[in-house]
Structures are given as C-alpha cells and as structure tokens.
Amino acid sequence: MIIEIRTKEKYAKNEEAGFIGRMAHAGLKVKAARLSRLYRVEAPFSRAEFGRLGADLLTDKITEHYSLSQWRPGLKKAWRVEVWLKDSVTDVVGESVKGAIADMLGKEPETVRFGHAYYVACESEVKLRHAVARTLVNETVNKFRIGKI
Amino acid sequence: MKDKLANFNSLPKKELEALDRAAGWSLNLTELSEVQRQFRKMGRQPARGELETIAQTWSEHCKHKTFSGPVIFRAGAKVKRYKNLFKETIVKATRSLNRKWCLSVFTDNAGIVEFGKTGKWGLAFKAETHNHPCAVEPYGGAETGVGGVIRDILGVGLGAKPVLNTDTFCFGRLDTKKRLPKNALAPGRVMRGVVEGVRDYGNRIGIPTAAGGLYFDDGYLLNPLVYVGCAGLIPVDKIGKRVIPGDLIVSIGGRTGRDGIHGATFSSANIDEETTASAVQIGHAVNEKKALDVLMRARDLGLYNAVTDCGAGGFSSAIGELGSETGARVRLDKALLKDTRIEPWEIWVSESQERMILSVPKAKLRRLAAILDAENCEYCVLGEFPGDGRLLVTHGEERIVDLPMAFLHGGVPNFEKPAEARKVKISCKPPAAPKGGYAKVLADLLAHPNVCSRHSVITQYDHEVQGGTVGKPLQGRYGDGPGDAAVIWPQAATLDLKDFSGFAVAHGFAPAVGRIDPYQMALHSIDEAVRNLLCSGADISRTAILDNFCAASPRDPRVMGDLVLAAEGCYDGAMAYGAPFISGKDSFYNQSRDADGKEYPIPISLLISATAPVEDVRRSVTMNFKEPGNPVFLAGVSLRGMGGAVYGEIIACANNAVAPLDMKAAVKLYSAIARAMRSGCVVAAHDVSQGGLAVTLAEMAFSGGLGAELDLTGASREDGLTPVELLFGESPARLVLEVDKSRETEFLRLVKGLPVAEIGRVNEEPELSVHDGGEALFSSDIGALKASWKKELI
C-alpha cells in the first residue's frame, strides 16, 4: 500500500514555486506542479489500519491531506514522476516510520520505503525526463518512473 | 579472483596490479610486494580478509602516507628533504609552542584544549572531509560526513558531548558554462544534496550547525569539498583511555551491512565512470543519538575503559586501533547484521554508520547492557582484547584474519615523494579604475557567489538547538548580517548556568591565493581565522587551530610542491600567532577523470578552523554598526596586490600579486585590539576579507541599518596604492572597528603607535559614502547594497 501525503493547496505555493524554479534551472519550463510524499508500507494491514496511519501518523492535519489511492491533482497535459531510493539503499525515513507504525499499531510492517511524487504540467516527457535526471535524482541511489496522468 | 588470491605470493607485478584494481584496494606496487614478502615469510597465502584489512589499515585515509611520509622538495636550485613532512611542520609547531592548555594533541580522534575557569572541562575539536562520497551521492555523503565527525568527538578520550557542528563547502560555480562529463552531477545538484544532508543529520541529532562557509570555483566542479567539523566538551578526568587485557569488545549503535565497503581505500582513488554507490554510506542520525546518550551515561558511571568510533575501515580499523597493543580476538558471527547475504570479510571492513567500539571490563557489561536497553540502542559483544598482540578474526570455524599487529600497523612501506615549486608568473601592474565606477563594482561584488548572503543555506540549519549559540551565523539589527565567528555557551554540557565561559569558532580559507602562492595561502588562512575570532571578542592568545588539507593527486610533484609550501606556511603562521595545531586531516586524490581520460584536479585547498575561549559570552561582539555618531576605525595596513581577490573574477585585472602577510605586525596589532575589546571600547568589529574593505563597510552598514560618512585619507597604506586596491584588494591583517564614542580617547590610548586610523562616523542616514581625500569614491544607498547582496543561493 502506498500512502500519499500532500500539502493543502493554500499552503503549497512555496514548495511548488521552488520546484518550478529548479526545473527551470534544468531547462524545463513547467506550467504548473504539485508535490507529494509517498510511504510504501508493505504489511498485511486492513484498509482501515492504513487509513489510521495516513490520518494519525503521517499527516499534519492542519496543512496536509492523505490518500490511499493515487492522487489526481487536476493538471492538464501532465506527468507524474515518482522517485524512490533503490531497495538496496538504506532508507532512514522509512526505518523510522516502520518503528513508529509498530509503536502505533502494535505490529511491525515488513518494509516501509519513503519517496516523492511530482505532478508536472510541461511540454514534453523527454524534456521532463532530462530535467528530472539532472535535478531530482541521483541514479546511483535513486530509481524513478514517469507516467502520463 | 579466487585463483589469484590462492596464488597471491607468487603473482607477477602486472597481475598484482590487476588484482588490486579488481578488489578496489588502492595499494601501490611497493605495498603489494611488501605484503607478498611478509606472507612468504609466514609460509602461507593470505586470506581475503587479511588483504582487505591490510588495504584498509595502509590506506591513505587511515595512514596519511603522503603527508607523514618522506618528501624531497625542489624550488629552483634549492633542495630540502623531509623525513616526515607532517611532523616537521604541523606537529613541530605544536611541540615548539608547548602550550600548557593543550590537553591532548595528535594522539586521539580530536584535539583537546582546556575550557572555562573551573579546570574541570576540556574542549575537543575536530574537522574532517567527506569529499569523495559527496561527489558520488551528495546527500548521503554529507550526512555520513557529519555523523562521522560527531563520532570522532564521541570517541575522543572516553567521549565528549558534542555542542557545535561546523560546515564549509566548495562547489563548482552554479552558473558554470563548462560541459560536465557524463558521470558528474551538476554543482547545484551537489550543493542541494550536501546542504540537505548536513541539515537533516545535524538537526535530527540535536547539535547546532552554526559556523562554516561556502566557496564557489570551477576547480571544484567534479570534486566538491565537504569539510565538516564538531566541537564537544569532556571532563578532564575522562580524557585518558586504555584498553585493559581481558576487556570485552562491544559494538554499540547501528547494524553492519554491505553499505560503505571500501570507503577508506576509495578515498585514495580517482572518481571515474565506474564509481558506484557501494563506497557510499547512508546515515541514521537517530541511531547515533541513541549511541550518544548511552555513551554519556556510561562514561560518567565508568562502565568502559576505552572507546573509539567505527569510521573508515569499519571494525577492521576501530578494533585494530584499540587493540594495537593488546591484540584482539574477534568473532564476526556475533555481529548484528542488516543483511544476511554479507561475506565475513565484508562484515570486517564494512563502513556501516553509527557504530562505536567500547572496551568493557567483563564485570561491568551487565550495567552497560541495562543502559543500552533503556536507550533502545542495539549492541553485540564481538570478542575480547587478549593482551598477546595478535589479531585473530574468525567467523564460525573460518579464520578471516590472523596477523601480528606489529606488521599491520608498522609494516607499511613508504617512499620519498618528489615535490617541486610551481612557477607562477606574477604581474604587479597597478589595476586601472573600473569603467562603471566604484559603486557599480561594489554592487557586483556583493552579488558575487563568494561574497553574497548565505541565508538560504544557514536558515536550513538549526543553530539554536541546545540554547547556547550566542554569536550567531546571522547577526545584526535584522538578524541577517554575516557573522565572523560562532560564539558558543556550552551550558547544555556543563549544566552550569552561572558560568558564562564560552568559546568561539571561526575559519580561514584562501584557495584563490593558493593558486598563486601556497605559502601565503596558509598564512592568509591562519590570519583570517584568528582575525575572525578577534572580531567576536575571543581571547586570541589562546587560539588553537586545525589544519584540513585537500589536494589533487600527490603523484604530481607540483601538487606535492604546493603541499610542502602550504605546510611550511602553517608552521610559520602557527609559530608567529602562538596558535598550536591540535588536530587535522588531509584528503588527496581530489581529481577526476572523464570518459576521455582528461583529468580535473582541484586547486590546493587548506581550511584552517580555529577556536579560542570567550571569557564571558555576554560580552562577545557582533559585526553590525550599532549607533549613529560612533567613530569608525580601519586597523591594519592596506597593501598593493590584487592576487586572489574576488575583484579579479568580475573585472579583468592583470595584477595577480599576492599581498604578503606581515605576521609580526599583525600579532602586535591584534594584541592591542584585543585589549581594547576586553575594555569594552569596541562595539562592532568585522574583518576585511573577500571583496575587500568596501564590502566589509557595506556589510557593517546594512546589517546595522545605519549609514556612514567615511574618508580613507588617514588609512595606513603602502606607497602607490590605487583606489581599486584600497577598496577591493584583499590584503590580510585588516579589520574595521566601531568604537563607543564616549570611550574614543581610551581606545586611542590602547592602540597608540599602531596602524589604526579613524575613517569617519556611523550615520543615521541610510547612505554609505566613502571619500579618499578630495576624491569621492562612491556613495550608495544601504538598502540597494543589501538587495545586491541578499541572493538566494538555493
């Protein structure tokens, strides 16, 4: 299960502007962007338990929303970029969350991995791929995929 | 590889070299031949684990073979031989100065000096580099750099409590036009990763990151430099440590995995297209915090006899170091692992993070275990220190390493390295007046990446945690001016809220000077660091310094020549300023090769980190103008020469002469200014460094929200000095002081006979006007100057 956490729209302007600036520096003109954090929790939990993790553990209720299915941000001509650490790389955030889940639910998930998703409205996937490789990921430690939304 | 290992002792030279490359040991042929000779003498073939142990122990990272080896230096007809360059320069200065307040130097994980008035505390200070890992994976590399230097402080004596982190970075220009090779990360990407790594580790572990710097030059495009430092407090009765035969070897903190295999030997290798993440570790600040908390409690209860950190080389290096006299029996099957697929020799050399090795008396293990359990900190007992001087490492029935410690630590062969002085053509042609006027140049200099505001980096760090950061990285009326030094009141360690003793930490760094004159680079760096301490009100008569050299491949005699000259500069500077080196580190092979085989070496780089006591932190001084009507003084003599100045990067300037440092005059001047500061006459002080005098004045003005009307007529200067050199030259040993107007007479008495000239007054009007006699040099609105300076770097 992937739990996706996003900043509420009224608080998200700074992170979006920062992201658009980074992409511009890499030569990509981005019309609009939304960002979210991803937690991949591998565990035989019920949907209600995953929901509890999203609502009570991983989300700041004042500034953030969570969802258990992939978010649809409503951008036109846009792609979703998902960035994770490779499975062989230690994921410190994932490990901490794993411990916190065990404390909260009384049962430990097999694995927790932490990643990012970027929803990007731009001209072309090729240019996006190039900009992502230049700024968002280090292919020595990261893996990423881009999908049309 | 197995076949070659089985016949190691009889391999011909070419095959030895091929094996070394395949295994990633970074041993040279002389060293490989010595290993062959030793094993032939023992009458057996080496095991893989033994070769790995030797490669780690003999690596440049662990043994510092270049700096502590013999060198023959040639400068024209002059020839000088060194048996041990490090001992004959850096260590020699410390030994000659023989300061009683130096409690531990060059023998442990960090240097220690006396701290405070009670005689109860020592201040441990160490700076490290983590350059190669950061070039490959900036975030993880920086995180583990910070984690590593914190562990040095935890592993000094019986453990010091960290109270300050420092960070100084060198990156390629963010606006570089140079085409990067395929394997290189863009400088912006490297910088973002490094800053985030330092931020996340420092903030999560709860240590303030409050001093450092940023430097941009395309010489660092493929080889960023990441200097990380840490200071901590230790009770003086906990400085000594000794492994007692019979003690248990206990590993606490993180588990062991395949991350970080060959980190130590990796730092002796060029970074190329083949470099992978296996040499990079990932940090876990929370695990290190658990180990920190355990150590502080267990130390005070006397539950262990010695401690050291697992750094480069992992168990191999840490246990080898602790057991260098007693020997060690290690059972690797007892290690706690992250990954069960790991080979025994990999467990032995893995550089997984956040591990500390303790030497624990058997009778105290139960009490130690109770603390470890209470702090939720994992541990394992790996074996014992037997006292027979033999290193025996096993995994089940398998023998991984069986070597005499004497061979491991004393067997590395060293050979004389040639060094030669580079020839640099010097032009002393006076710089012409700039076409756009001095005000335009000042605005451009303030916006230059090596001068502009670092707030977008600094504000990511928690510099307030522990509640003792008195001299902050951002200062002034609006909390955004560039501080000269961090002033720390370590009450979180001493727990004494009535004792206001503190210490200041500052840096000096001048690689642009080093390109022209490495000797002067060392002097300028020491001078800048001491001057920054002085500006904060520290007692510079008790300055202690760290040397951190970074250079390209020492196989190039010109690189070695730069190193020799810089080391000689360090000796002369330390002796003149009476400032002993207490610790240091060197990092070589900071050069990269692209797919076409082209080499990219860094310029010789020397970071001087300095610390000095602040008797009462409540009386420390900041850099911004404080009050209209107060007189402003320029201390020091402005010299000719634009060599190494930022000015040369924005305006073509043929003059590359470096203004030499007059150490004797500087020490005399600083002593008098220190007296004036102690007496309370000086209300603001700021050093003249990057960008020159005009930048210093502008920073003091806009950080205080006050202007100044200044006339430089009376300023001491070398004959023939041009206005460009006066305003934008970076000659050393100068600082600007604002003096309390009611105490001007007292101040003048204290600096009588010295090159200290009143140059004007602080003004309520937000205008910085500077004249030189009849000539109006510039007049600028301080708001506009600040707008030029306050760039977003990230």
Side-chain angles (χ1 to χ4, degrees), chain B residues 543-780:
Chain B
T543 301
I545 51 182
L546 313 177
D547 63 291
N548 278 88
F549 286 91
C550 290
S553 171
R555 290 177 191 132
D556 182 342
R558 290 167 303 179
V559 172
M560 283 302 296
D562 286 351
L563 178 71
V564 169
L565 290 167
E568 287 289 357
C570 281
Y571 174 78
D572 289 347
M575 292 303 291
Y577 286 85
F581 288 96
I582 57 167
S583 180
K585 208 72 194 272
D586 51 75
S587 165
F588 292 98
Y589 300 95
N590 290 288
Q591 69 182 63
S592 297
R593 195 182 304 129
D594 67 14
D596 303 323
K598 192 182 169 195
E599 295 281 356
Y600 295 82
I602 65 157
I604 179 88
S605 305
L606 167 66
L607 176 71
I608 295 291
S609 309
T611 184
V614 177
E615 200 181 328
D616 185 338
V617 293
R618 294 169 298 179
R619 301 186 65 188
S620 61
V621 177
T622 52
M623 49 72 66
N624 55 299
F625 282 151
K626 302 290 188 309
E627 197 177 325
N630 274 347
V632 179
F633 288 83
L634 173 62
V637 182
S638 300
L639 301 175
R640 294 173 63 187
M642 297 298 287
V646 182
Y647 180 88
E649 291 189 36
I650 60 169
I651 291 180
C653 172
N655 185 313
N656 69 338
V658 172
L661 173 67
D662 182 342
M663 294 179 271
K664 211 171 156 186
V667 170
K668 201 172 160 194
L669 175 69
Y670 297 170
S671 302
I673 291 173
R675 277 197 298 278
M677 293 184 82
R678 270 198 304 278
S679 74
C681 299
V682 178
V683 295
H686 195 25
D687 75 319
V688 178
S689 58
Q690 297 217 302
L693 174 62
V695 165
T696 301
L697 294 169
E699 288 173 344
M700 293 179 84
F702 62 63
S703 301
L706 296 166
E709 180 78 37
L710 306 171
D711 185 346
L712 303 175
T713 310
S716 302
R717 67 185 80 183
E718 189 179 3
D719 289 345
L721 191 84
T722 63
V724 167
E725 288 165 308
L726 178 60
L727 289 175
F728 308 119
E730 296 179 14
S731 62
R734 293 180 299 160
L735 56 163
V736 176
L737 308 167
E738 179 192 347
V739 171
D740 182 341
K741 56 181 175 278
S742 67
R743 305 186 64 179
E744 188 176 355
T745 312
E746 186 186 350
F747 173 78
L748 288 170
R749 185 178 53 77
L750 289 167
V751 298
K752 195 177 174 187
L754 294 166
V756 179
E758 182 172 337
I759 56 173
R761 300 261 160 180
V762 177
N763 202 332
E764 189 104 46
E765 293 299 312
E767 191 83 8
L768 179 65
S769 297
V770 179
H771 290 69
D772 190 19
E775 188 183 358
L777 297 177
F778 68 86
S779 185
S780 301

Side-chain angles (χ1 to χ4, degrees), chain B residues 151-164:
Chain B
R151 284 199 304 282
D152 278 330
I153 295 302
L154 294 177
V156 67
L158 291 173
K161 178 178 168 59
V163 294
L164 169 71

Side-chain angles (χ1 to χ4, degrees), chain B residues 318-655:
Chain B
I319 296 173
E321 188 186 310
L322 279 184
S324 59
E325 288 176 10
T326 59
R329 293 281 181 283
V330 184
R331 287 177 285 278
L332 293 176
D333 43 300
K334 302 286 183 193
L336 293 176
L337 303 176
K338 292 181 190 176
D339 185 345
T340 51
R341 291 164 299 176
I342 192 167
E343 294 285 324
W345 69 265
E346 290 178 316
I347 301 171
W348 184 233
V349 300
S350 162
E351 295 179 9
S352 289
Q353 294 289 298
E354 288 88 31
R355 298 174 304 166
M356 303 288 296
I357 301 294
L358 309 182
S359 172
V360 181
K362 277 179 188 155
K364 293 182 177 175
L365 181 64
R366 204 167 52 85
R367 287 174 68 201
L368 176 67
I371 295 176
L372 285 155
D373 290 339
E375 296 288 352
N376 196 18
C377 181
E378 291 193 307
Y379 72 98
C380 56
V381 179
L382 286 171
E384 61 278 324
F385 296 104
D388 62 1
R390 179 178 164 212
L391 174 64
L392 177 61
V393 182
T394 56
H395 185 274
E397 295 301 308
E398 190 184 350
R399 194 168 284 219
I400 309 301
V401 181
D402 187 357
L403 290 171
M405 286 292 197
F407 163 59
L408 200 54
H409 290 279
V412 57
N414 221 332
F415 50 91
E416 192 173 73
K417 289 165 194 74
E420 66 181 47
R422 272 185 298 122
K423 290 186 183 76
V424 179
K425 201 175 168 191
I426 301 296
S427 164
C428 299
K429 194 178 162 192
K435 280 181 186 159
Y438 300 115
K440 166 83 170 58
V441 174
L442 174 57
D444 290 349
L445 276 173
L446 287 167
H448 189 280
N450 285 338
V451 177
C452 73
S453 172
R454 273 81 177 104
H455 69 277
S456 53
V457 173
I458 292 168
T459 51
Q460 296 197 42
Y461 304 144
D462 186 344
H463 51 260
E464 298 288 6
V465 64
Q466 296 191 10
T469 308
V470 177
K472 301 175 197 301
L474 294 171
Q475 304 180 347
R477 190 168 170 181
Y478 312 103
D480 58 4
D484 292 285
V487 176
I488 301 295
W489 177 41
Q491 44 77 26
T494 63
L495 303 177
D496 186 348
L497 295 172
K498 288 181 182 158
D499 181 356
F500 292 96
S501 302
F503 67 93
V505 165
H507 297 94
F509 191 62
V513 173
R515 279 205 165 96
I516 304 160
D517 186 338
Y519 176 79
Q520 283 296 332
M521 171 189 75
L523 297 185
H524 281 227
S525 301
I526 293 173
D527 175 68
E528 187 188 1
V530 172
R531 211 159 11 118
N532 280 327
L533 292 175
L534 176 62
C535 287
S536 71
D539 176 5
I540 56 165
S541 70
R542 286 184 52 173
T543 301
I545 51 182
L546 313 177
D547 63 291
N548 278 88
F549 286 91
C550 290
S553 171
R555 290 177 191 132
D556 182 342
R558 290 167 303 179
V559 172
M560 283 302 296
D562 286 351
L563 178 71
V564 169
L565 290 167
E568 287 289 357
C570 281
Y571 174 78
D572 289 347
M575 292 303 291
Y577 286 85
F581 288 96
I582 57 167
S583 180
K585 208 72 194 272
D586 51 75
S587 165
F588 292 98
Y589 300 95
N590 290 288
Q591 69 182 63
S592 297
R593 195 182 304 129
D594 67 14
D596 303 323
K598 192 182 169 195
E599 295 281 356
Y600 295 82
I602 65 157
I604 179 88
S605 305
L606 167 66
L607 176 71
I608 295 291
S609 309
T611 184
V614 177
E615 200 181 328
D616 185 338
V617 293
R618 294 169 298 179
R619 301 186 65 188
S620 61
V621 177
T622 52
M623 49 72 66
N624 55 299
F625 282 151
K626 302 290 188 309
E627 197 177 325
N630 274 347
V632 179
F633 288 83
L634 173 62
V637 182
S638 300
L639 301 175
R640 294 173 63 187
M642 297 298 287
V646 182
Y647 180 88
E649 291 189 36
I650 60 169
I651 291 180
C653 172
N655 185 313

Side-chain angles (χ1 to χ4, degrees), chain B residues 78-109:
Chain B
K78 187 185 147 197
V79 178
K80 187 170 178 182
R81 280 200 146 86
Y82 299 85
K83 281 183 185 163
N84 181 322
L85 179 60
F86 180 62
K87 279 193 176 164
E88 289 168 53
T89 52
I90 307 291
V91 178
K92 185 179 163 191
T94 302
R95 301 275 180 254
S96 306
L97 289 166
N98 193 25
R99 298 293 195 204
K100 287 200 170 54
W101 40 267
C102 287
L103 304 178
S104 172
V105 289
F106 301 119
T107 52
D108 208 334
N109 289 314

Side-chain angles (χ1 to χ4, degrees), chain A residues 22 25 89-90 92-93 95 134-135 137-138 140-141, chain B residues 136-138 174 185 189 192 259 277 282-284 338:
Chain A
R22 285 171 74 184
H25 195 70
V89 175
T90 306
V92 177
V93 176
E95 276 185 21
R134 271 197 68 185
T135 58
V137 302
N138 177 3
T140 309
V141 292
Chain B
V136 179
E137 210 306 274
L174 301 179
L185 299 172
R189 174 79 181 76
R192 182 176 288 275
D259 43 334
I282 303 293
H284 198 315
K338 292 181 190 176

Side-chain angles (χ1 to χ4, degrees), chain B residues 215-230:
Chain B
Y215 187 82
F216 297 93
D217 183 295
D218 275 351
Y220 305 107
L221 206 51
L222 301 188
N223 287 90
L225 300 186
V226 176
Y227 296 96
V228 283
C230 189

